[in-house]
Amino acid sequence: MQFRNDIQGIRALAFFLVFIFHINYTWLQGGFIGVDVFFVISGYLMTSIIIDQKDKNIFSFYDFYWKRLKRIFPAYLFLIIAATLAGSFIYLARDIWTLQKSAGASIVFLSNLLFSRGDSYFGAALNENPFLHTWSLAIEMQFYLLLPLLLIWVKRKYLSAVIVLLIIVLTIYTSISMYIDNSNTSTYFSLVSRIPEFLIGSFYSLAFKNKSISADRAIRSLLP
């Protein structure tokens, strides 16, 4: 894809919100929304890439999955190894198993499922886990497995309608789950509850394909 300064700017803002939130959440209590923004951006970018390759008849499931893994995994593996080694010297013996279990779940991008069975995101048991923040990347990778199947197998003329339907149905399901038990940690870490955020980006990509303009062009068009 063509480099988009506007998307990079939104990414920077989302990162800033999350960063401030984790320094001291009382400074910016809604800063966690930056993660949701990242999910929308990911849905937009991945959908744009897949649809563009599909239109050119060059899409390959293998190439798509391999490129995502090659882009993310080397640095991610280094992080996991470094955190595990450091934790081996810092953690008490009784906590080493928790550290190893978290590292194992993180390396296969399933840490969100592991953490969904634990304390809340802000609870002490998870808040002190060095792999806690891998939950969002795990959800992204799980979504990347599903997105190509949706975009390739569903006919183009039905695709936008299917995406809107999924957004509505999954949002209602998540809302009901939270209403029934607002302390349910599994909803927070659930791929199902986060899919609508990705699909909002997917819908935008489909709805405005070949119609979008960059931010700098938009600004210039307003100038005399």
Side-chain angles (χ1 to χ4, degrees):
M1 288 184 62
Q2 182 181 0
F3 186 84
R4 295 280 300 272
N5 290 318
D6 49 351
I7 291 179
Q8 295 305 315
I10 296 173
R11 273 179 166 170
L13 177 60
F15 169 80
F16 177 77
L17 294 175
V18 175
F19 182 71
I20 295 299
F21 177 78
H22 281 293
I23 290 177
N24 189 329
Y25 75 90
T26 60
W27 295 350
L28 193 63
Q29 295 186 15
F32 56 82
I33 198 174
V35 176
D36 305 295
V37 174
F38 268 110
F39 288 160
V40 174
I41 293 175
S42 292
Y44 172 82
L45 292 176
M46 293 303 106
T47 299
S48 299
I49 291 172
I50 294 171
I51 292 298
D52 182 65
Q53 293 180 355
K54 179 183 178 181
D55 290 345
K56 296 176 180 177
N57 294 317
I58 60 173
F59 178 78
S60 165
F61 283 98
Y62 173 81
D63 287 342
F64 176 80
Y65 294 138
W66 174 244
K67 286 179 180 179
R68 303 286 78 73
L69 194 62
K70 185 170 63 173
R71 179 183 178 88
I72 294 171
F73 196 68
Y76 185 60
L77 179 61
F78 175 81
L79 169 67
I80 292 174
I81 293 175
T84 303
L85 290 176
S88 299
F89 293 97
I90 297 173
Y91 272 53
L92 298 175
R94 64 188 181 190
D95 296 322
I96 292 296
W97 166 239
T98 300
L99 178 71
Q100 293 173 342
K101 184 169 60 174
S102 300
S106 299
I107 204 169
V108 293
F109 302 105
L110 293 176
S111 56
N112 63 310
L113 301 180
L114 175 66
F115 298 144
S116 69
R117 301 197 297 265
D119 199 353
S120 71
Y121 184 87
F122 305 100
L126 286 182
N127 196 38
E128 298 173 358
N129 192 313
F131 297 107
L132 174 59
H133 305 306
T134 65
W135 74 269
S136 58
L137 183 57
I139 285 180
E140 275 202 74
M141 294 300 288
Q142 292 163 22
F143 179 74
Y144 291 166
L145 288 174
L146 301 176
L147 181 63
L149 304 179
L150 172 67
L151 299 180
I152 298 300
W153 289 350
V154 176
K155 291 184 178 181
R156 184 65 171 272
K157 61 181 179 179
Y158 303 126
L159 193 53
S160 293
V162 170
I163 287 176
V164 171
L165 181 62
L166 286 172
I167 291 173
I168 294 173
V169 171
L170 294 179
T171 299
I172 292 175
Y173 170 79
T174 300
S175 300
I176 293 174
S177 298
M178 294 180 65
Y179 177 79
I180 293 174
D181 183 5
N182 60 10
S183 64
N184 189 353
T185 307
S186 61
T187 302
Y188 184 92
F189 292 108
S190 170
L191 170 65
V192 173
S193 67
R194 301 291 177 169
I195 281 180
E197 299 169 7
F198 291 102
L199 291 183
I200 289 173
S202 298
F203 177 78
Y204 182 88
S205 175
L206 293 170
F208 296 94
K209 189 178 186 323
N210 300 325
K211 296 180 182 179
S212 61
I213 58 176
S214 61
D216 55 343
R217 286 180 58 193
I219 293 173
R220 286 200 300 270
S221 68
L222 299 176
L223 298 176

